Each structure stands twice: as structure tokens, then as C-alpha cells.
Amino acid sequence: MANIFDIFKKIEKESEARASQPITHIVVGLGNPGDKYFYTRHNAGFLAMDYVSQKCGAQVNKSKFHALVGEGTIAGKRVLLMKPQTLMNASGNAVSEAAAFYKISVENIIVMSDDVNLDVGRIRVRKSGSDGGQKGLRSIIERMGSDNFPRIRFGVGKKPHPDYDMADWVLGNLSEDDKKILFNCFEPAYQGLEKLVLGDVDAAMQICNSKK
């Protein structure tokens, strides 16, 4: 049986080895800070980040870059996990600051957000592209000067009718049924995230885009 001190030394060495690796990616969950927004449709990215941080044994609770951040390992890569605290429309301020600090190229920024154009329970991975009306994505594109970054978008459902105010819709709370459906998306999304970190966008799409 291994000596407990040897086990502790091994864990410490593994931790030091991880810490010596450079951060290669930034994974961003988009949302709005504050308890009143916790279960709103616009906070799907924050909720997904909570799942991701648990999966990789990280805590996203350190205040830096106008965000809450933590470091974790995904698919063998050391990544910065980020929940911008700037409010949705200024998310790019936090992301661009972190990217500049760690010298992360835009292609290695992976963003998780809500999508009102997708039904609840649908996931969509895209390698790049427009913001699709999502203002957090728009802010990141503007501040980074590029839309060439992968994103994982979680369906939160369309407005009930065309005249419904979009701000009221995205800032409205998810129903209990929709929460359960959304939460069931996070495991396949995490598997897709692992593929994105490895640069395999096609595999990530295969895992996520067919998920119902």
C-alpha cells in the first residue's frame, strides 16, 4: 500500500506540472452577473460554465479581467475559464483583456452562449460567423476585431409571438421543464468542448449539432 505522504507528493507534482503548462485557450460562458439573472435565458452560458468547471475540477471565482475566472484542464490543455461580469453587452471588454494578457489568438477563444433562434434542448457548434443577434457575441467580435472563434450556442426558445419584447424574453426566467432540458445539454456540450480544444470542430459539430 502506498505511503500517504508519497501520494500527497505525487498529487503536488502533478499540480505543479499542470501549473507550468501555458494557458492555450480561453473558454467563456456568457451571462449577466447577479442573483436575479441566474436562471434567465440569457444566462445559459453562465449555467454551462458552472457545469464545465465542475467537470474539470476548477472554481471560477477569482476576480480578474472584469470577470470571474479559474484555471482548469480540458482534453489535456490548460485553459482559462471565464464568466464576464461586465453585463452581456460589454463581454468583449473582459475577453479581449484576458486574451491580450495570455497572448491567446482569437481562434483559441471558445464562447458558450444562449440562442433564441434554437428550440430549448438544441445545441449548435459553429467555427466562426456573425453574432446572430446575440449581443455578448457581438461585443467579443467588435473588441477582438474578428468573428473567427468557435462557439457553442444553447437553444432557449423563440419569442412566443413577434411583438414580444426581446429584452423581456431573454431576461425572463426559464421554466422548470426548460431548465431540465437545458441541463441535459451540458454533458454533450462538454464533450464537444473537448473536441474544440483539440481543434476538431467537425467532431464537435457531430456530437452537438444533432443533439435534441
Side-chain angles (χ1 to χ4, degrees):
M1 183 175 178
N3 184 291
I4 187 138
F5 295 108
D6 292 336
I7 294 172
F8 285 151
K9 285 179 181 178
K10 182 180 178 182
I11 293 171
E12 186 177 1
K13 285 181 180 178
E14 289 175 350
S15 178
E16 289 174 353
R18 285 194 299 269
S20 67
Q21 296 175 356
I23 286 177
T24 61
H25 294 73
I26 298 174
V27 180
V28 186
L30 294 183
N32 287 305
D35 291 343
K36 68 178 180 178
Y37 297 116
F38 195 88
Y39 283 121
T40 60
R41 295 177 181 86
H42 232 8
N43 266 35
F46 270 13
L47 294 170
M49 178 57 74
D50 290 342
Y51 185 88
V52 168
S53 63
Q54 290 177 19
K55 286 286 289 188
C56 62
Q59 291 187 323
V60 183
N61 58 5
K62 183 179 179 181
S63 183
K64 195 174 183 180
F65 310 123
H66 306 290
L68 293 178
V69 301
E71 295 179 12
T73 302
I74 298 176
K77 305 286 188 180
R78 187 171 168 227
V79 302
L80 183 75
L81 306 176
M82 170 179 280
K83 295 167 77 172
Q85 300 294 291
T86 55
L87 294 180
M88 183 69 77
N89 296 4
S91 300
N93 297 346
V95 175
S96 61
E97 189 175 335
F101 182 85
Y102 288 108
K103 297 179 174 58
I104 303 296
S105 64
V106 68
E107 295 86 358
N108 282 6
I109 297 170
I110 302 168
V111 182
M112 303 185 295
S113 72
D114 62 288
D115 191 331
V116 297
N117 298 307
L118 297 175
D119 293 336
V120 180
R122 297 304 301 266
I123 316 171
R124 184 67 49 80
V125 169
R126 293 189 67 189
K127 182 179 180 180
S128 59
S130 70
D131 57 65
Q134 215 285 351
K135 293 183 178 179
L137 287 172
R138 181 179 305 167
S139 176
I140 295 170
I141 291 169
E142 289 174 351
R143 288 305 303 269
M144 295 302 300
S146 172
D147 65 3
N148 192 31
F149 57 87
R151 66 287 306 262
I152 303 174
R153 302 179 72 160
F154 296 94
V156 294
K158 301 175 178 66
K159 295 189 300 181
H161 54 79
D163 295 334
Y164 201 102
D165 184 76
M166 181 59 77
D168 289 343
W169 180 245
V170 296
L171 295 178
N173 285 318
L174 293 156
S175 69
E176 291 302 318
D177 286 343
D178 284 352
K179 284 181 196 175
K180 292 176 184 177
I181 296 170
L182 180 63
F183 294 167
N184 283 335
C185 294
F186 293 158
E187 177 55 30
Y190 182 81
Q191 295 172 17
L193 176 61
E194 290 181 309
K195 299 300 184 184
L196 290 177
V197 168
L198 293 173
D200 194 343
V201 179
D202 289 341
M205 288 179 174
Q206 195 168 29
I207 292 169
C208 295
N209 290 7
S210 61
K211 165 69 179 171
K212 291 186 179 181

